[in-house]
Amino acid sequence: MYNISNIKSFLLKLQDEICAFLVQEDNNIEIKKDKWNYKDYNGLSYIFKKGTVFEQVGVNYSFINNRKMPKSATVCHKNLSGYTIQALGLSIIIHPLNPYIPTSHANIRFFLAEKLYEKPVWWFGGGFDMTPFYGFKEDVVHWHKTAFDICLPFGKCVYKKYKKWCDEYFYIKHRNEQRGIGGLFFDDLNKPDFKYCFEFVQAIGNGFLIAYQPIVVRRKNYLWGERERQFQLYRRGRYVEFNLIYDRGTIFGLQTNGRIESILISMPPLVRWEYDYKIDENSVEASLYRDFLPVKNWLL
């Protein structure tokens, strides 16, 4: 049976581990710890900014209690009208300063829906994805191989299923392009039982740094200049567009009248848009669109 205390303990421990990684790789970064309460929400947020490796990072734990079920909370459970929810989760969004380090995002969440005289309904969601500005096949293969290894103990088709879900979810329809190179995404996970589901999300959370840290170590000392910076800021615009238009976490927070600083913690500190932006087809920047953003099997 579900145990919210165990989930909370895991999420807070993972939050500490992510924070330790950030300090290890960027010991010049500023850290703000924010323990907050807002209406039916409470949480613990760590904001890292103005580093030499990472420009801004949010590592946000939040808990919501006794709120009516918003439409964005689930796509599968259509019969939960009138239920109240408890929801807790950890979200990580890393915006590097160095354009050769990819932006990365991870999220784990748990929902418990309850109604008088009805059986409670619970489920997990989450995953991780990566958004490079300059693509390196070595990095992308490592990222997806790690995701495959995480999933394999839970079923031979799990990676394929959740990679496909990630590719479909992080698709920017109005741009007709992927947000990044994908990863894993799942939602409404409550089968076959709680033990399986909780072990799976723990594997996802613990595997995030295994997937991401080696990429940071390989790329953080790459030299970059104004050209790379301007392309990074332009591509961040895609990240903002997706999060404000499509992201279910953002929509959920707004529908529940949540704490806006926590809802928008994923936004990059600087971004730019340019009208009718064109890229030289022979440039290294064009390689991102041609060689990395199209959906493919990176494990072949």
Side-chain angles (χ1 to χ4, degrees), residues 125-173:
F128 53 63
D129 66 284
M130 190 167 73
T131 308
F133 308 100
Y134 291 89
F136 296 89
K137 185 176 180 180
E138 175 187 13
D139 296 348
V140 180
V141 170
H142 163 76
W143 178 261
H144 279 280
K145 179 61 167 58
T146 304
F148 175 85
D149 291 343
I150 289 169
C151 292
L152 189 57
F154 299 92
K156 63 180 182 179
C157 296
V158 172
Y159 166 78
K160 182 179 179 180
K161 176 182 178 181
Y162 292 152
K163 177 193 182 298
K164 183 175 185 291
W165 200 340
C166 188
D167 290 335
E168 292 173 350
Y169 179 74
F170 290 106
Y171 172 66
I172 307 174
K173 298 180 182 68

Side-chain angles (χ1 to χ4, degrees), residues 36-174:
W36 50 268
N37 288 279
Y38 179 81
K39 298 182 179 178
D40 296 327
Y41 282 86
N42 64 76
L44 176 62
S45 301
Y46 287 89
I47 308 302
F48 297 78
K49 59 183 181 179
K50 299 180 181 178
T52 55
V53 177
F54 304 113
E55 188 169 11
Q56 185 166 292
V57 180
V59 188
N60 183 54
Y61 167 80
S62 61
F63 176 75
I64 180 174
N65 186 36
N66 198 34
R67 298 297 301 273
K68 289 186 178 180
M69 180 71 64
K71 294 178 182 178
S72 61
T74 178
V75 295
C76 292
H77 303 288
K78 302 295 186 181
N79 59 336
L80 298 183
S81 176
Y83 280 67
T84 59
I85 60 167
Q86 295 183 65
L88 63 162
L90 181 70
S91 61
I92 305 111
I93 175 63
I94 300 175
H95 291 293
L97 179 64
N98 189 325
Y100 288 105
I101 303 174
T103 288
S104 190
H105 159 260
N107 177 271
I108 293 173
R109 54 194 178 274
F110 176 77
F111 290 89
L112 174 63
E114 297 175 295
K115 186 177 182 180
L116 192 62
Y117 307 123
E118 301 289 344
K119 184 179 179 180
V121 180
W122 60 266
W123 67 95
F124 287 96
F128 53 63
D129 66 284
M130 190 167 73
T131 308
F133 308 100
Y134 291 89
F136 296 89
K137 185 176 180 180
E138 175 187 13
D139 296 348
V140 180
V141 170
H142 163 76
W143 178 261
H144 279 280
K145 179 61 167 58
T146 304
F148 175 85
D149 291 343
I150 289 169
C151 292
L152 189 57
F154 299 92
K156 63 180 182 179
C157 296
V158 172
Y159 166 78
K160 182 179 179 180
K161 176 182 178 181
Y162 292 152
K163 177 193 182 298
K164 183 175 185 291
W165 200 340
C166 188
D167 290 335
E168 292 173 350
Y169 179 74
F170 290 106
Y171 172 66
I172 307 174
K173 298 180 182 68
H174 62 276

Side-chain angles (χ1 to χ4, degrees), residues 8-286:
K8 178 181 178 180
S9 296
F10 165 69
L11 295 179
L12 291 176
K13 180 176 181 291
L14 180 61
Q15 184 180 45
D16 288 341
E17 292 172 356
I18 299 293
C19 291
F21 148 73
L22 295 165
V23 173
Q24 176 183 332
E25 299 300 336
D26 191 349
N27 56 19
N28 294 311
I29 202 162
E30 296 179 8
I31 308 170
K32 178 181 179 180
K33 179 180 179 180
D34 187 11
K35 190 173 184 178
W36 50 268
N37 288 279
Y38 179 81
K39 298 182 179 178
D40 296 327
Y41 282 86
N42 64 76
L44 176 62
S45 301
Y46 287 89
I47 308 302
F48 297 78
K49 59 183 181 179
K50 299 180 181 178
T52 55
V53 177
F54 304 113
E55 188 169 11
Q56 185 166 292
V57 180
V59 188
N60 183 54
Y61 167 80
S62 61
F63 176 75
I64 180 174
N65 186 36
N66 198 34
R67 298 297 301 273
K68 289 186 178 180
M69 180 71 64
K71 294 178 182 178
S72 61
T74 178
V75 295
C76 292
H77 303 288
K78 302 295 186 181
N79 59 336
L80 298 183
S81 176
Y83 280 67
T84 59
I85 60 167
Q86 295 183 65
L88 63 162
L90 181 70
S91 61
I92 305 111
I93 175 63
I94 300 175
H95 291 293
L97 179 64
N98 189 325
Y100 288 105
I101 303 174
T103 288
S104 190
H105 159 260
N107 177 271
I108 293 173
R109 54 194 178 274
F110 176 77
F111 290 89
L112 174 63
E114 297 175 295
K115 186 177 182 180
L116 192 62
Y117 307 123
E118 301 289 344
K119 184 179 179 180
V121 180
W122 60 266
W123 67 95
F124 287 96
F128 53 63
D129 66 284
M130 190 167 73
T131 308
F133 308 100
Y134 291 89
F136 296 89
K137 185 176 180 180
E138 175 187 13
D139 296 348
V140 180
V141 170
H142 163 76
W143 178 261
H144 279 280
K145 179 61 167 58
T146 304
F148 175 85
D149 291 343
I150 289 169
C151 292
L152 189 57
F154 299 92
K156 63 180 182 179
C157 296
V158 172
Y159 166 78
K160 182 179 179 180
K161 176 182 178 181
Y162 292 152
K163 177 193 182 298
K164 183 175 185 291
W165 200 340
C166 188
D167 290 335
E168 292 173 350
Y169 179 74
F170 290 106
Y171 172 66
I172 307 174
K173 298 180 182 68
H174 62 276
R175 297 286 188 179
N176 190 29
E177 65 184 43
Q178 302 300 126
R179 188 173 85 170
I181 56 84
L184 302 170
F185 181 87
F186 61 94
D187 207 350
D188 301 292
L189 177 66
N190 61 6
K191 295 178 180 179
D193 54 35
F194 179 83
K195 181 177 183 295
Y196 171 96
C197 297
F198 188 32
E199 287 179 355
F200 179 70
V201 299
Q202 288 177 89
I204 293 290
N206 293 329
F208 172 67
L209 286 183
I210 298 172
Y212 189 57
Q213 187 167 10
I215 298 171
V216 173
V217 171
R218 277 198 292 267
R219 307 302 168 197
K220 71 177 186 177
N221 292 320
Y222 270 46
L223 298 178
W224 55 277
E226 187 62 17
R227 171 177 172 166
E228 292 84 357
R229 175 62 166 173
Q230 288 303 312
F231 185 64
Q232 177 196 51
L233 296 181
Y234 173 76
R235 287 297 307 171
R236 281 180 177 176
R238 299 292 203 268
Y239 207 92
V240 171
E241 289 176 21
F242 179 88
N243 279 26
L244 292 181
I245 298 172
Y246 303 115
D247 184 73
R248 284 175 57 190
T250 303
I251 296 169
F252 172 82
L254 295 174
Q255 286 183 351
T256 55
N257 195 27
R259 180 176 181 261
I260 198 65
E261 293 301 323
S262 300
I263 297 169
L264 298 182
I265 198 171
S266 64
M267 294 297 104
L270 293 172
V271 63
R272 77 181 184 94
W273 284 266
E274 182 174 333
Y275 179 78
D276 199 25
Y277 182 71
K278 295 291 192 299
I279 296 176
D280 182 347
E281 292 183 359
N282 298 315
S283 68
V284 65
E285 288 80 11

